[in-house]
Amino acid sequence: MSNRDARSLNHPAPKPPELYDFRRPTTLAREHSRVLEVAFETFARQWGTQLTANIRTRSQVTFDEVTMTTYDEYAAALPSLTTMVLCDLGEEPAKAVVQFPGAAALSWFSHMLGGDGSHEEPERPFTQIEQALLRKLVEDLIDDLRYCLNGLLEGDIQMSSVASNSQFAQAAAPAELMVIASFTVQTAERVARATLAFPSEVLLRRLGDANPVIRDGEARPLLERQIAEVPVDLTLNLTPFEVTTKDILQLEVGQLIKLTHPTDRPMLVAVDGQPVGSAALGKAGTRLACTITDTKETNR
């Protein structure tokens, strides 16, 4: 193994930076993002277990990330031919979306009917039998969603319709913000990408009550409180002095080095190389200690 290969194993490639549009900030607050991440991670585990039970083949679902973008951008990023299950959210005009490749769904159906799911099928509309199988899978998926998003959805979520073209599926207005959760679904040897999309207003309405975002006026005192609790290394330094390289190379065990620091001068107290005061050397029981003799004021 080359040195380059060894370095790549010890230090994986950094994640590429993501572009951010400051003209249209659509990022989730950290407090809200963490709550949603926990909910979707739980959903991924439940979905994997449910999918395994339904298709009788070991399945695993992994949560990847949660983002927020407009519905138009979300739909444009999807393949033109894919399976989009639209779900009603009570009286909300916008719908939730469960999206996954149609080829992956056809593989699931093959397992459910006793096949091995290895036959490659092109993206196409489902037959009536396949639609019935899809409804069974989606209804179980929605049950998992109800459990994992309990308290975040005001109304009930119900399967409404199925679309096979992402450009014609109108789940929400083009400019409406959507919370997008991405997943990796693995069944047998097949790996597919799936997404869940919810109108941001539906989720953030409850998140704002249960997990309010910190206001700008509260940020400074919280930041100062956090900084005050950060541990730092405190050092006690003698007055530095110069020696030659030859002196360093000729060091021997037991050699006596004369220091330039006077015995009656306090030593320098520093944090990360920055002086914060001075102190005299002392003793506290069986341990060395120092007594602060002076402090240095710093500009705030």
Side-chain angles (χ1 to χ4, degrees):
M1 181 184 292
S2 65
N3 293 335
R4 175 185 239 173
D5 294 335
R7 286 196 301 270
S8 64
L9 290 175
N10 295 331
H11 303 285
K15 186 178 179 180
E18 297 180 3
L19 296 178
Y20 182 81
D21 190 351
F22 286 92
R23 297 168 301 178
R24 188 177 46 181
T26 57
T27 55
L28 287 164
R30 184 177 61 180
E31 297 90 339
H32 295 168
S33 179
R34 185 56 192 151
V35 172
L36 291 174
E37 286 173 358
V38 172
F40 288 129
E41 284 171 355
T42 304
F43 167 73
R45 292 191 294 269
Q46 297 278 5
W47 187 14
T49 302
Q50 193 73 256
L51 196 58
T52 299
N54 278 321
I55 71 175
R56 297 183 293 279
T57 297
R58 182 175 178 81
S59 305
Q60 181 177 355
V61 181
T62 305
F63 167 70
D64 296 327
E65 63 177 349
V66 59
T67 58
M68 188 162 67
T69 185
T70 63
Y71 178 77
D72 189 43
E73 292 176 344
Y74 165 64
L78 297 176
S80 57
L81 293 178
T82 188
T83 300
M84 297 181 69
V85 181
L86 308 186
C87 302
D88 291 329
L89 298 171
E91 298 180 356
E92 297 291 335
K95 300 180 183 295
V97 178
V98 181
Q99 176 272 328
F100 43 80
L106 292 171
S107 173
W108 302 340
F109 303 155
S110 174
H111 285 292
M112 296 173 74
L113 297 175
D116 59 5
S118 61
H119 182 64
E120 292 291 337
E121 286 277 356
E123 296 282 347
R124 58 171 176 78
F126 297 134
T127 64
Q128 290 186 350
I129 294 178
E130 292 167 345
Q131 289 180 15
L133 296 174
L134 177 66
R135 178 171 291 276
K136 172 66 171 67
L137 292 177
V138 172
E139 286 178 349
D140 289 342
L141 180 151
I142 289 176
D143 286 340
D144 293 334
L145 270 178
R146 290 193 187 101
Y147 170 77
C148 298
L149 297 181
N150 183 31
L152 297 181
L153 295 176
E154 293 183 355
D156 193 17
I157 177 172
Q158 297 286 344
M159 179 177 173
S160 172
S161 60
V162 179
S164 58
N165 192 310
S166 61
Q167 306 306 313
F168 295 112
Q170 295 298 323
E176 180 153 3
L177 290 177
M178 305 288 286
V179 173
I180 315 297
S182 302
F183 303 87
T184 300
V185 183
Q186 181 173 1
T187 55
E189 300 300 324
R190 185 184 294 271
V191 178
R193 290 271 295 175
T195 60
L196 294 178
F198 287 87
S200 62
E201 180 64 24
V202 174
L203 295 180
L204 298 185
R205 189 184 304 150
R206 286 295 184 89
L207 280 173
D209 295 336
N211 300 274
V213 177
I214 298 174
R215 296 181 176 84
D216 293 341
E218 302 171 349
R220 183 181 179 88
L222 289 174
L223 180 61
E224 291 177 347
R225 187 187 312 165
Q226 180 64 30
I227 291 177
E229 299 297 328
V230 174
V232 295
D233 292 327
L234 186 70
T235 60
L236 198 61
N237 301 331
L238 298 171
T239 302
F241 63 99
E242 294 181 353
V243 295
T244 64
T245 306
K246 180 180 178 181
D247 296 331
I248 298 298
L249 295 175
Q250 294 179 349
L251 287 176
E252 296 179 357
V253 177
Q255 180 180 353
L256 184 65
I257 299 178
K258 294 182 179 180
L259 305 177
T260 60
H261 191 96
T263 56
D264 59 344
R265 178 186 297 177
M267 288 180 283
L268 183 67
V269 180
V271 174
D272 194 23
Q274 298 298 318
V276 295
S278 56
L281 192 62
K283 188 177 181 182
T286 59
R287 297 179 179 273
L288 288 175
C290 64
T291 302
I292 301 297
T293 60
D294 185 30
T295 59
K296 295 183 179 294
E297 291 290 332
T298 56
N299 293 328
R300 292 185 179 274

